């Protein structure tokens, strides 16, 4: 059974069960705001960090047993388990990253080259590397074995508030206050992709377990789904009424959750597999059409310029659960996905939502949330008049036509500019010729 752990500014940790009518439990222990929570890989522990400079390890059960240890000399911002569950990382406002054993909470060693608060630190999928980001506007890559910084990335205009490894372990993604998301190859240390898709600070991100998609959360109140294979914005999601401050995929990628300053945590259902199949089907049809009409390959380029991407399926993202308490004012700052059956995947983030008070509560299922961009002129799929598969294909084709129209418009503008420049050069050349002729005379 899937669970979500949340941490609140009222110093509480909550464990929510995804199954309807299941109880949510409140764990008290921290003295100040909880800044991060994460499930261990086995799902048997939940780690939480706090402004009270401590880390707590909780057993996610009704008894709420926990072990506490003082980890840093300032606010602890982030905690992350290694993939084998034997060690964990903590990062802090004391400018350090520390490595600990999980079972005895024994301090192993620290990394201390950052010059300001360390917002986030994560293990690579093979536990051999560590990536961290700081308010000193750097992202550092560390070798766990040698304990040395092997590279520093400094391309962000602002500071990175969140960083994580791609599931393949070959690249990293960083969310920045400069409103962009950047992806670097950790082998060549070169930037692979740059997504300036938000109008506000990017507060968090999460890779889909398959590695082809990335979701981002921003202060502009939106979430963006990025297609990493095509290198383009795929969806814009609206659901929160204020800044979206955290986002996390579930272990299987069939759900993702988001938290915002509107004091809510929303759980969304995704069906990326259906989108991929639909996209591949449409691409195949487009290739056949291009072949028969001898169209140049360049007619389908520049998809990354599309600021309003088409929707493949208007039921792709369904707001499946709505976790909130209507009559409370306390807010939470972090959430993490996990499984109570011992198979979990945690994710650190900073969020705001209602925290539980009093007895355990149940969740209420809400209606579906449609993606932000809908193409007009299509038949309503829900009335049963058009098969959903056909509607999906038509929607995608219309979206691709819009992209082609925008591409042609851009090419026409460039052609006009080129003609103007050429005309200006010819006029200058004629003036120079006349000047030389007059001088000879």
């Amino acid at each position: 059974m899937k669970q979500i752990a949340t941490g609140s500014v009222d110093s509480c940790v909550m464990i929510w069960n995804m199954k309807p009518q299941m109880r949510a439990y409140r764990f008290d222990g921290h003295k100040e705001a909880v800044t991060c929570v994460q499930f261990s890989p086995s799902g048997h522990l939940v780690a939480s960090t706090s402004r009270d400079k401590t880390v707590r390890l909780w057993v996610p059960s009704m008894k709420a047993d926990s072990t506490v240890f003082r980890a840093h000399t300032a606010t602890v911002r982030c905690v992350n388990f290694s993939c084998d569950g034997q060690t964990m990382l903590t990062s802090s406002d004391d400018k350090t990253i520390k490595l600990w054993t999980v079972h005895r909470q024994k301090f192993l060693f620290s990394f201390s080259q950052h010059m300001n608060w360390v917002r986030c630190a994560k293990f690579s999928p093979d536990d051999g590397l560590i990536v961290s980001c700081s308010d000193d506007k750097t992202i550092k890559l560390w070798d766990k074995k040698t304990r040395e910084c092997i590279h520093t990335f400094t391309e962000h205009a602002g500071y990175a508030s969140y960083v994580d490894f791609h599931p393949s372990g070959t690249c990293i993604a960083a969310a920045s206050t400069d409103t962009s998301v950047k992806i670097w190859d950790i082998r060549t240390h070169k930037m692979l992709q740059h997504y300036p898709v938000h109008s506000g600070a990017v507060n968090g991100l999460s890779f889909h377990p398959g590695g082809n998609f990335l979701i981002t959360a921003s202060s502009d109140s939106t979430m963006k789904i990025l297609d990493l294979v095509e290198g383009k914005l795929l969806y814009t999601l609206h659901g929160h009424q204020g800044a979206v401050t955290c986002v996390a995929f579930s272990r299987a990628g069939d759900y993702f959750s988001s938290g915002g300053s509107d004091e809510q945590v929303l759980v969304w259902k995704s069906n990326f597999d259906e989108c991929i199949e639909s996209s591949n089907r449409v691409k195949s049809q487009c290739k056949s059409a291009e072949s028969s009409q001898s169209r140049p390959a360049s007619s389908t380029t520049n998809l990354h310029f599309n600021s309003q991407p088409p929707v493949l399926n208007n039921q792709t993202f369904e707001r499946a659960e709505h976790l909130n308490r209507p009559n409370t004012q306390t807010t939470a700052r972090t959430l993490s996905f996990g499984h109570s059956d011992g198979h979990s995947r945690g994710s650190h983030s900073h969020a705001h939502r209602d925290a539980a008070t009093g007895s355990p509560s149940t969740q209420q299922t809400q209606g579906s949330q449609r993606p932000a961009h809908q193409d007009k002129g299509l038949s309503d799929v829900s009335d049963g008049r058009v098969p959903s598969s056909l509607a999906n294909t038509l929607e995608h084709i219309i979206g691709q036509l819009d992209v082609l129209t925008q591409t042609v418009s851009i090419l026409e503008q460039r052609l006009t500019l080129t003609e103007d420049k050429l005309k200006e050069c010819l006029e200058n050349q004629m003036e120079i010729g006349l000047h030389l002729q007059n001088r000879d005379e």
Side-chain angles (χ1 to χ4, degrees):
M1 181 190 304
K2 289 186 177 70
Q3 294 178 312
I4 299 177
T6 62
S8 172
V9 295
D10 67 357
S11 75
C12 296
V13 174
M14 293 285 298
I15 304 293
W16 303 84
N17 290 299
M18 290 282 289
K19 187 175 180 180
Q21 309 304 320
M22 290 293 289
R23 291 182 173 182
Y25 296 100
R26 170 175 175 153
F27 300 159
D28 295 298
H30 284 294
K31 304 302 181 184
E32 295 187 44
V34 178
T35 55
C36 175
V37 293
Q38 192 193 27
F39 279 96
S40 66
S42 67
H44 298 150
L45 292 173
V46 173
S48 62
T49 62
S50 172
R51 288 180 180 173
D52 63 12
K53 308 174 187 178
T54 67
V55 176
R56 282 183 178 266
L57 293 174
W58 307 83
V59 177
S61 64
M62 190 177 300
K63 294 182 179 179
D65 296 329
S66 69
T67 301
V68 60
F69 62 100
R70 188 180 181 88
H72 291 269
T73 59
T75 296
V76 189
R77 293 279 178 179
C78 175
V79 63
N80 183 240
F81 285 98
S82 60
C83 293
D84 62 9
Q86 300 301 309
T87 56
M88 61 183 177
L89 282 173
T90 57
S91 60
S92 169
D93 288 0
D94 64 10
K95 308 175 188 178
T96 67
I97 305 160
K98 294 185 178 182
L99 189 67
W100 311 79
T101 63
V102 172
H103 297 293
R104 295 188 179 181
Q105 298 85 55
K106 178 183 177 182
F107 170 72
L108 298 177
F109 52 85
S110 64
F111 305 91
S112 55
Q113 293 186 26
H114 279 297
M115 305 303 293
N116 209 328
W117 296 355
V118 185
R119 294 277 178 176
C120 181
K122 291 294 185 75
F123 282 105
S124 63
D126 63 359
D127 293 337
L129 299 174
I130 294 169
V131 66
S132 61
C133 61
S134 167
D135 283 15
D136 62 12
K137 297 186 179 181
T138 67
I139 297 169
K140 292 185 180 293
L141 191 64
W142 311 83
D143 188 303
K144 178 184 172 184
K145 186 175 181 180
T146 64
R147 309 179 190 180
E148 295 180 353
C149 177
I150 58 179
H151 190 74
T152 300
F153 301 93
T154 58
E155 283 85 350
H156 277 289
Y159 66 83
S161 56
Y162 192 91
V163 66
D164 201 3
F165 279 94
H166 185 271
S168 68
T170 60
C171 56
I172 58 172
S176 174
T177 56
D178 66 8
T179 74
S180 71
V181 174
K182 293 183 179 180
I183 299 177
W184 289 276
D185 189 313
I186 63 173
R187 300 161 296 185
T188 63
H189 304 151
K190 293 183 179 180
M191 186 170 65
L192 299 177
Q193 294 177 335
H194 178 209
Y195 296 97
V197 293
H198 285 286
S199 59
V202 187
N203 302 312
L205 55 82
S206 180
F207 283 103
H208 185 269
N212 291 335
F213 303 98
L214 179 72
I215 186 169
T216 62
S218 171
S219 295
D220 63 10
S221 79
T222 69
M223 290 173 287
K224 306 281 186 178
I225 303 290
L226 306 176
D227 186 331
L228 302 181
V229 177
E230 298 289 339
K232 67 177 182 179
L233 173 63
L234 194 61
Y235 298 95
T236 295
L237 299 182
H238 297 270
H240 291 278
Q241 300 304 312
V244 187
T245 46
C246 79
V247 68
F249 272 109
S250 63
R251 178 177 178 270
D254 51 345
Y255 291 91
F256 61 89
S257 59
S258 61
S261 59
D262 56 359
E263 302 182 344
Q264 295 184 87
V265 169
L266 305 182
V267 181
W268 307 72
K269 185 177 181 181
S270 63
N271 58 349
F272 285 111
D273 292 339
E274 294 181 14
C275 292
I276 294 172
E277 291 177 1
S278 176
S279 177
N280 290 339
R281 182 169 60 252
V282 172
K283 287 181 180 179
S284 177
Q285 294 173 354
C286 289
K287 287 181 179 179
S288 298
E290 290 171 5
S291 176
S292 63
Q293 299 180 23
S294 300
R295 295 180 180 176
S298 60
S299 64
T300 58
T301 60
N302 295 329
L303 295 181
H304 59 280
F305 287 114
N306 187 14
S307 61
Q308 294 188 351
V311 176
L312 303 181
N313 185 344
N314 63 1
Q315 294 295 327
T316 297
F317 300 104
E318 176 186 356
R319 189 164 61 184
E321 299 289 344
H322 183 182
L323 314 181
N324 73 322
R325 299 288 184 108
N327 297 318
T328 58
Q329 298 298 321
T330 53
T331 59
R333 296 184 61 82
T334 180
L335 60 84
S336 174
F337 257 108
H339 283 64
S340 60
D341 59 359
H343 301 285
S344 70
R345 176 183 177 89
S347 177
H348 157 267
S349 50
H350 300 281
H352 300 275
R353 62 157 203 85
D354 289 334
T357 57
S359 60
S361 71
T362 59
Q363 297 97 25
Q364 297 178 350
T365 302
Q366 303 296 313
S368 63
Q369 175 70 28
R370 299 171 71 93
H373 305 293
Q374 294 287 349
D375 295 304
K376 296 180 179 180
L378 296 179
S379 299
D380 185 5
V381 181
S382 62
D383 63 6
R385 290 178 296 177
V386 180
S388 61
S389 59
L390 178 59
N392 295 340
T393 303
L394 291 174
E395 286 183 9
H396 188 74
I397 291 174
I398 290 175
Q400 294 302 314
L401 290 174
D402 289 340
V403 172
L404 292 175
T405 301
Q406 293 177 15
T407 302
V408 171
S409 176
I410 292 172
L411 292 175
E412 288 177 347
Q413 293 176 9
R414 290 180 179 177
L415 181 60
T416 300
L417 290 174
T418 302
E419 290 175 346
D420 293 340
K421 287 290 184 181
L422 181 59
K423 182 179 180 181
E424 183 179 349
C425 289
L426 291 174
E427 291 176 351
N428 291 337
Q429 194 173 23
M430 291 178 62
E431 290 179 359
I432 293 173
L434 291 173
H435 179 71
L436 293 175
Q437 185 178 4
N438 292 333
R439 188 174 64 178
D440 293 339
E441 292 176 352

